[in-house]
Every structure is written in C-alpha cells, then in structure tokens.
Coordinates of all heavy atoms in Angstrom, one line a residue:
I858 N 0.8 -1.2 0.0 CA 0.0 0.0 0.0 C 0.9 1.3 0.0 O 0.6 2.2 -0.7 CB -1.0 0.0 1.2 CG1 -2.0 -1.1 1.0 CG2 -1.7 1.3 1.4 CD1 -2.9 -1.4 2.2
K859 N 2.0 1.2 0.7 CA 2.9 2.4 0.7 C 3.5 2.6 -0.7 O 3.6 3.7 -1.2 CB 4.0 2.1 1.7 CG 3.7 2.4 3.1 CD 4.9 2.2 4.0 CE 4.6 2.5 5.5 NZ 5.8 2.3 6.3
W860 N 3.8 1.5 -1.4 CA 4.3 1.5 -2.8 C 3.2 2.2 -3.7 O 3.5 3.0 -4.5 CB 4.6 0.1 -3.3 CG 5.3 0.1 -4.6 CD1 6.6 0.1 -4.9 CD2 4.6 0.2 -5.9 NE1 6.8 0.1 -6.3 CE2 5.6 0.2 -6.9 CE3 3.3 0.2 -6.3 CZ2 5.3 0.2 -8.3 CZ3 3.0 0.3 -7.7 CH2 4.0 0.3 -8.6
V861 N 2.0 1.7 -3.5 CA 0.9 2.3 -4.3 C 0.8 3.8 -4.1 O 0.7 4.6 -5.1 CB -0.5 1.6 -3.9 CG1 -1.7 2.4 -4.5 CG2 -0.5 0.2 -4.4
N862 N 0.8 4.3 -2.9 CA 0.6 5.7 -2.6 C 1.8 6.5 -3.1 O 1.7 7.7 -3.4 CB 0.4 5.9 -1.1 CG -0.9 5.3 -0.6 OD1 -1.8 5.2 -1.4 ND2 -0.9 4.9 0.6
S863 N 3.0 5.9 -3.1 CA 4.3 6.6 -3.5 C 4.5 6.6 -5.0 O 5.4 7.3 -5.4 CB 5.5 5.9 -2.8 OG 5.3 6.0 -1.4
N864 N 3.7 5.9 -5.7 CA 3.9 5.8 -7.2 C 2.8 6.3 -8.0 O 2.6 5.9 -9.2 CB 4.3 4.3 -7.5 CG 5.7 3.9 -7.1 OD1 6.6 4.0 -7.9 ND2 5.8 3.4 -5.9
G865 N 2.0 7.2 -7.4 CA 1.0 7.9 -8.2 C -0.3 7.1 -8.4 O -1.1 7.4 -9.3
Y866 N -0.5 6.1 -7.6 CA -1.8 5.4 -7.7 C -2.6 5.5 -6.4 O -2.1 6.0 -5.3 CB -1.5 3.9 -7.9 CG -0.8 3.6 -9.2 CD1 0.5 3.5 -9.4 CD2 -1.6 3.3 -10.3 CE1 1.1 3.2 -10.6 CE2 -1.0 3.0 -11.6 CZ 0.3 3.0 -11.7 OH 0.9 2.7 -12.9
E867 N -3.9 5.1 -6.5 CA -4.7 5.0 -5.3 C -5.5 3.7 -5.4 O -5.8 3.2 -6.5 CB -5.6 6.2 -5.1 CG -6.6 6.5 -6.3 CD -7.4 7.7 -6.1 OE1 -7.1 8.5 -5.1 OE2 -8.2 8.0 -7.0
I868 N -5.9 3.2 -4.3 CA -6.7 1.9 -4.3 C -8.1 2.1 -4.9 O -8.8 3.1 -4.6 CB -6.8 1.4 -2.8 CG1 -5.4 1.1 -2.3 CG2 -7.7 0.2 -2.7 CD1 -5.4 0.6 -0.8
D869 N -8.5 1.2 -5.7 CA -9.7 1.3 -6.5 C -10.6 0.1 -6.4 O -11.2 -0.3 -7.4 CB -9.4 1.6 -7.9 CG -10.6 2.1 -8.7 OD1 -11.5 2.7 -8.2 OD2 -10.7 1.7 -9.9
G870 N -10.7 -0.5 -5.2 CA -11.6 -1.7 -5.1 C -11.1 -2.6 -4.0 O -10.0 -2.4 -3.4
P871 N -11.9 -3.6 -3.7 CA -11.5 -4.6 -2.6 C -10.2 -5.3 -3.0 O -10.0 -5.7 -4.1 CB -12.7 -5.6 -2.6 CG -13.8 -4.8 -3.3 CD -13.2 -4.0 -4.3
I872 N -9.4 -5.6 -1.9 CA -8.2 -6.3 -2.1 C -8.4 -7.8 -2.1 O -9.3 -8.3 -1.3 CB -7.2 -5.9 -1.0 CG1 -6.9 -4.4 -1.1 CG2 -5.9 -6.7 -1.1 CD1 -6.0 -3.9 0.1
A873 N -7.7 -8.5 -3.0 CA -7.9 -10.0 -3.1 C -6.5 -10.7 -2.8 O -5.5 -10.1 -2.9 CB -8.3 -10.3 -4.5
E874 N -6.7 -11.9 -2.3 CA -5.5 -12.8 -2.2 C -5.7 -14.1 -3.0 O -6.8 -14.7 -2.9 CB -5.3 -13.2 -0.7 CG -5.1 -12.0 0.2 CD -5.1 -12.4 1.7 OE1 -5.4 -13.6 2.0 OE2 -5.0 -11.5 2.5
E875 N -4.7 -14.5 -3.7 CA -4.8 -15.7 -4.4 C -3.8 -16.7 -3.8 O -2.6 -16.3 -3.6 CB -4.5 -15.6 -5.9 CG -5.6 -14.8 -6.7 CD -5.3 -14.8 -8.2 OE1 -4.2 -15.2 -8.6 OE2 -6.2 -14.4 -8.9
Y876 N -4.3 -17.9 -3.5 CA -3.5 -18.8 -2.7 C -2.7 -19.8 -3.6 O -3.2 -20.9 -3.9 CB -4.3 -19.6 -1.7 CG -5.0 -18.6 -0.8 CD1 -6.4 -18.2 -1.0 CD2 -4.3 -18.0 0.2 CE1 -7.0 -17.2 -0.2 CE2 -4.9 -17.0 1.1 CZ -6.3 -16.7 0.8 OH -6.9 -15.7 1.6
M877 N -1.5 -19.3 -4.0 CA -0.7 -20.1 -5.0 C -0.2 -21.4 -4.4 O -0.3 -22.5 -5.0 CB 0.5 -19.3 -5.4 CG 0.2 -17.9 -5.8 SD -1.0 -17.7 -7.2 CE 0.0 -18.3 -8.5
V878 N 0.2 -21.4 -3.1 CA 0.5 -22.6 -2.3 C -0.1 -22.3 -1.0 O 0.2 -21.4 -0.3 CB 2.1 -22.8 -2.2 CG1 2.3 -24.1 -1.4 CG2 2.7 -22.9 -3.6
S879 N -0.9 -23.3 -0.5 CA -1.8 -23.0 0.6 C -1.8 -24.2 1.6 O -1.1 -25.2 1.3 CB -3.2 -22.8 0.1 OG -3.8 -24.0 -0.4
P880 N -2.6 -24.1 2.7 CA -2.7 -25.3 3.6 C -3.2 -26.5 2.9 O -3.0 -27.7 3.4 CB -3.6 -24.8 4.7 CG -3.5 -23.3 4.6 CD -3.3 -23.0 3.2
I881 N -4.0 -26.4 1.8 CA -4.5 -27.5 1.1 C -3.3 -28.3 0.4 O -3.4 -29.5 0.3 CB -5.5 -27.1 0.0 CG1 -6.8 -26.6 0.8 CG2 -5.9 -28.3 -0.9 CD1 -7.9 -26.2 -0.1
D882 N -2.3 -27.6 0.0 CA -1.1 -28.2 -0.7 C 0.0 -28.7 0.2 O 0.5 -29.8 0.0 CB -0.6 -27.1 -1.7 CG -1.6 -26.5 -2.6 OD1 -2.3 -27.3 -3.3 OD2 -1.8 -25.3 -2.5
L883 N 0.3 -27.9 1.2 CA 1.4 -28.2 2.1 C 1.1 -27.9 3.6 O 0.3 -27.1 3.8 CB 2.7 -27.4 1.7 CG 3.2 -27.6 0.3 CD1 4.3 -26.6 0.0 CD2 3.8 -29.0 0.1
K884 N 1.7 -28.6 4.5 CA 1.5 -28.4 5.9 C 2.4 -27.4 6.5 O 2.0 -26.7 7.4 CB 1.7 -29.7 6.7 CG 0.6 -30.8 6.4 CD 0.8 -32.0 7.2 CE -0.3 -33.1 6.9 NZ -0.1 -34.3 7.8
N885 N 3.6 -27.2 5.9 CA 4.6 -26.3 6.4 C 4.2 -24.8 6.0 O 4.4 -24.5 4.8 CB 6.0 -26.6 5.9 CG 7.1 -25.8 6.5 OD1 6.8 -24.8 7.3 ND2 8.3 -26.1 6.2
D886 N 3.8 -24.0 6.9 CA 3.3 -22.6 6.5 C 4.5 -21.8 6.0 O 4.3 -20.7 5.4 CB 2.5 -22.0 7.6 CG 3.3 -21.8 8.9 OD1 4.5 -22.1 8.9 OD2 2.7 -21.4 9.9
D887 N 5.7 -22.1 6.3 CA 6.9 -21.4 5.8 C 6.9 -21.4 4.3 O 7.6 -20.6 3.6 CB 8.2 -21.9 6.4 CG 8.3 -21.6 7.9 OD1 7.7 -20.7 8.3 OD2 9.1 -22.3 8.5
Q888 N 6.3 -22.4 3.7 CA 6.3 -22.6 2.2 C 5.1 -22.1 1.5 O 5.0 -22.2 0.3 CB 6.5 -24.1 1.9 CG 7.8 -24.7 2.4 CD 7.9 -26.2 2.1 OE1 7.0 -27.0 2.4 NE2 9.0 -26.6 1.6

C-alpha cells in the first residue's frame, strides 16, 4: 500500500488474495 501511494496510484476496489501454495497443498506454513 505504501508503494501504491508513493507511485502515483490509489486503491480502487476490494483487495484480493490468491493462494498459490496453501494449507491444502502443504502443511509447512513457511512454504
């Protein structure tokens, strides 16, 4: 968000997360 504000942008909608590797895939949360 700091990067967005410092580079001439502003937030324009709800934030999303995509789970590329998740608890469904691996047990080790470090990964």
Side-chain angles (χ1 to χ4, degrees):
I858 292 172
K859 284 184 177 179
W860 186 96
V861 167
N862 294 333
S863 300
N864 285 271
Y866 293 94
E867 60 184 4
I868 297 176
D869 190 35
I872 298 176
E874 297 170 1
E875 290 186 349
Y876 302 100
M877 314 300 290
V878 181
S879 72
I881 291 179
D882 308 302
L883 298 170
K884 293 183 178 180
N885 185 356
D886 59 6
D887 290 337
Q888 296 179 311

